[in-house]
Amino acid sequence: MDTLFNLLQILMDAGLILLCCQTVFKEREHWGRKDFLLFPVITLFFMAARAGMTVGSPSGPLFAKEGYEVAPSNNVAMLLILILLILLVNSVYYKLQDNGWAFCGTMAVFSLYLLVRTISVALLSFCGIGGNGILAGSRLLSLLCVYLLSRASSFGRVRDTIKEGGFTARLVSVNIGIVLIAALSVFSFDISRFMEHLKIIGGILFLCLLCDGLLLHYNQRRIQEQRRIRMIEQYVPIVEELISQVRARQHEFNNRIMAIESAVSSAATLEEAKESVAALADGISLSSRDRDLLACDSKIIAGMLYGKIKQAELAQINIELEFRGLFKKSAVPETEWIEVIGILFDNALEASTAGDTVYLKTCRKDSGLEFTVWNPAPPLSNTEFMKLFSKGVTTKQDRSSHGFGLYNVLKLAERCHGKILTRNETVGGRNYVVFGILLP
């Protein structure tokens, strides 16, 4: 009976590690059949870790029993071997090209595992549950906690920050695991001694989590600044090109104005003056599109739009702008706006053909700034609109590299407490699909 119960613990531990691996490394929403192939591999590792403790004891249980309440091993050496084995499996299965992310991600897996196991054991112990009840109940509670955490968008942002960040961000994935492994080692994996000093361990963990939060916040701000600098270097020269073109025409404007003054003063009749002024004024005014770009309060966004408009002109697609809102008054950084505008604009251009007109509009709402992109297309139902925002869903032929743009827009809207906008509109007797976002 003890052997079966220990085997059940091993299966739950393997399932918990698998769930942690999927939570940290997964790139898609749903599990595939191949994901479950990891389960027997991890189970064999954990069975070997326990079985190795009873070799040479034919009358004893098949699997060791003591010291596995929190960790999948009851000694540091075996725990480090398990970490290395899981690291190898993760690198191969998830095809991780970045060795730093493979190591830090695996440490994040064990940090998450040990943290939820410690919290679960502490909660059940506080409720007065002991014996086999705490062994099985804490594992079930841990599985539930990690599953709920995997569904939280906030954890996804933390994971992406650690993955994309440098040493400072990746330190977050390591320190929790190191603290808990050190604590278990100091108390020789004895759960009773571990629980006696739980307040001290909890205090150290709280300080670690507080420091981790500060490090992630600092790292996120640093990443935003770096992105902003890159975008300034990329897009500001483009909008300055437009400004230079306007300045280059300044002399022509002055000459035309002087010519208009002369024509008016020398005209014999009012009709003759009107004809002369109309002929001289032809072609000297800025287009409404250029005026909107120059009036845009963000040079970065104006530069990006100017570059996209030039691409559209090569494809013979006409772009109409209507800007009635200020981006810098938005609480959302310009870098986030650049990402949203780029995705929606690119999708509209890819869905349009030569001769089509695409509209870009912004307007100020009470709750924030609304940005919408209109492109001609057959009408879509609400269900079809929302399906396009699912991860991996695309209408393009090449599905391998598409299907993430609108999903990223949806996640950004959730992260910034915004709102996705979709509807059908009729312009000149033709249906236009409208995709947009409302951000504070």
Side-chain angles (χ1 to χ4, degrees):
M1 191 65 182
D2 285 341
T3 299
L4 291 177
F5 186 70
N6 290 339
L7 180 60
L8 178 62
Q9 293 178 55
I10 291 173
L11 292 174
M12 287 192 287
D13 285 342
L16 181 57
I17 281 287
L18 174 59
L19 186 57
C20 290
C21 289
Q22 286 291 98
T23 301
V24 172
F25 290 111
K26 71 174 182 178
E27 295 292 339
R28 54 191 179 277
E29 288 289 311
H30 304 290
W31 288 39
R33 291 182 179 179
K34 291 196 302 181
D35 295 328
F36 293 96
L37 294 177
L38 290 177
F39 181 72
V41 175
I42 298 172
T43 301
L44 286 175
F45 292 160
F46 285 9
M47 289 174 67
R50 283 206 179 190
M53 303 305 296
T54 57
V55 173
S57 178
S59 61
L62 180 61
F63 303 112
K65 182 177 180 180
E66 301 296 331
Y68 296 89
E69 291 83 358
V70 174
S73 172
N74 64 355
N75 65 87
V76 175
M78 185 58 69
L79 184 57
L80 293 178
I81 292 173
L82 287 176
I83 291 174
L84 290 175
L85 290 173
I86 299 299
L87 170 61
L88 178 62
V89 169
N90 288 337
S91 299
V92 174
Y93 180 77
Y94 296 104
K95 300 177 181 178
L96 304 175
Q97 303 297 323
D98 184 353
N99 293 331
W101 170 236
F103 172 75
C104 291
T106 301
M107 287 303 301
V109 167
F110 276 89
S111 294
L112 179 60
Y113 175 93
L114 294 174
L115 182 61
V116 296
R117 293 287 297 115
T118 300
I119 294 173
S120 299
V121 169
L123 285 175
L124 294 185
S125 178
F126 180 77
C127 294
I129 301 174
N132 290 342
I134 197 171
L135 293 175
S138 63
R139 286 171 167 83
L140 291 174
L141 182 59
S142 299
L143 284 166
L144 178 61
C145 290
V146 175
Y147 173 76
L148 294 176
L149 192 62
S150 69
R151 309 300 296 179
S153 59
S154 57
F155 183 81
R157 294 198 297 272
V158 172
R159 179 190 61 214
D160 293 340
T161 301
I162 295 173
K163 181 179 179 181
E164 297 170 4
F167 173 78
T168 303
R170 291 184 175 182
L171 181 64
V172 171
S173 66
V174 177
N175 54 14
I176 297 294
I178 291 176
V179 168
L180 289 172
I181 291 172
L184 288 168
S185 177
V186 167
F187 301 119
S188 302
F189 290 76
D190 185 340
I191 190 62
S192 59
R193 293 174 61 194
F194 184 84
M195 296 302 295
E196 287 175 2
H197 298 83
L198 189 60
K199 290 183 179 179
I200 297 175
I201 297 171
I204 296 173
L205 288 176
F206 176 77
L207 290 176
C208 285
L209 291 172
L210 182 61
C211 291
D212 289 346
L214 293 174
L215 286 173
L216 288 176
H217 177 71
Y218 162 78
N219 189 76
Q220 189 64 25
R221 289 189 62 181
R222 186 175 60 84
I223 291 174
Q224 287 286 353
E225 287 300 320
Q226 289 177 344
R227 288 179 61 190
R228 177 176 170 77
I229 290 171
R230 287 197 300 268
M231 289 179 178
I232 288 174
E233 293 173 347
Q234 180 179 358
Y235 295 122
V236 169
I238 297 175
V239 76
E240 286 180 348
E241 177 187 342
L242 173 61
I243 295 172
S244 298
Q245 291 178 4
V246 174
R247 287 175 177 170
R249 296 177 64 186
Q250 187 66 43
H251 292 295
E252 181 186 355
F253 293 159
N254 292 336
N255 293 334
R256 290 287 187 99
I257 290 173
M258 292 176 63
I260 289 171
E261 291 177 350
S262 299
V264 171
S265 60
S266 62
T269 64
L270 180 59
E271 291 300 323
E272 182 182 347
K274 288 181 178 180
E275 292 176 2
S276 299
V277 169
L280 291 169
D282 184 39
I284 67 169
S285 62
L286 282 174
S287 66
S288 60
R289 187 179 64 196
D290 289 346
R291 283 198 300 270
D292 279 339
L293 285 175
L294 291 172
C296 181
D297 64 328
S298 171
K299 281 190 175 183
I300 302 176
I301 295 175
M304 186 272 288
L305 288 174
Y306 186 67
K308 296 287 185 185
I309 289 170
K310 290 298 181 183
Q311 294 177 16
E313 288 177 351
L314 293 176
Q316 298 180 351
I317 299 173
N318 184 42
I319 305 297
E320 294 291 337
L321 302 181
E322 187 179 314
F323 282 4
R324 294 179 181 174
L326 300 177
F327 289 100
K328 286 193 173 181
K329 288 189 176 182
S330 171
V332 178
E334 291 171 287
T335 52
E336 304 284 16
W337 277 112
I338 286 283
E339 181 180 355
V340 170
I341 294 171
I343 291 171
L344 296 180
F345 200 173
D346 286 342
N347 284 351
L349 292 180
E350 291 179 9
S352 302
T353 57
D356 287 342
T357 299
V358 174
Y359 297 90
L360 279 73
K361 301 183 180 183
T362 65
C363 61
R364 193 72 193 172
K365 299 288 186 180
D366 293 337
S367 55
L369 182 63
E370 177 183 300
F371 174 84
T372 54
V373 179
W374 306 37
N375 66 273
L380 298 175
S381 65
N382 289 335
T383 303
E384 290 171 323
F385 269 123
M386 295 317 299
K387 185 178 179 181
L388 292 174
F389 286 90
S390 301
K391 192 173 186 178
V393 175
T394 180
T395 58
K396 304 176 181 69
Q397 296 296 324
D398 182 13
R399 296 179 178 271
S400 60
S401 58
H402 294 91
F404 297 94
L406 291 178
Y407 173 80
N408 290 336
V409 172
L410 175 63
K411 290 301 178 183
L412 189 145
E414 293 175 353
R415 185 166 69 247
C416 298
H417 308 289
K419 181 182 178 182
I420 293 296
L421 306 172
T422 57
R423 61 180 183 271
N424 294 289
E425 294 283 355
T426 302
V427 179
R430 189 176 185 184
N431 187 79
Y432 276 68
V433 291
V434 181
F435 290 89
I437 191 169
L438 177 65
L439 294 175

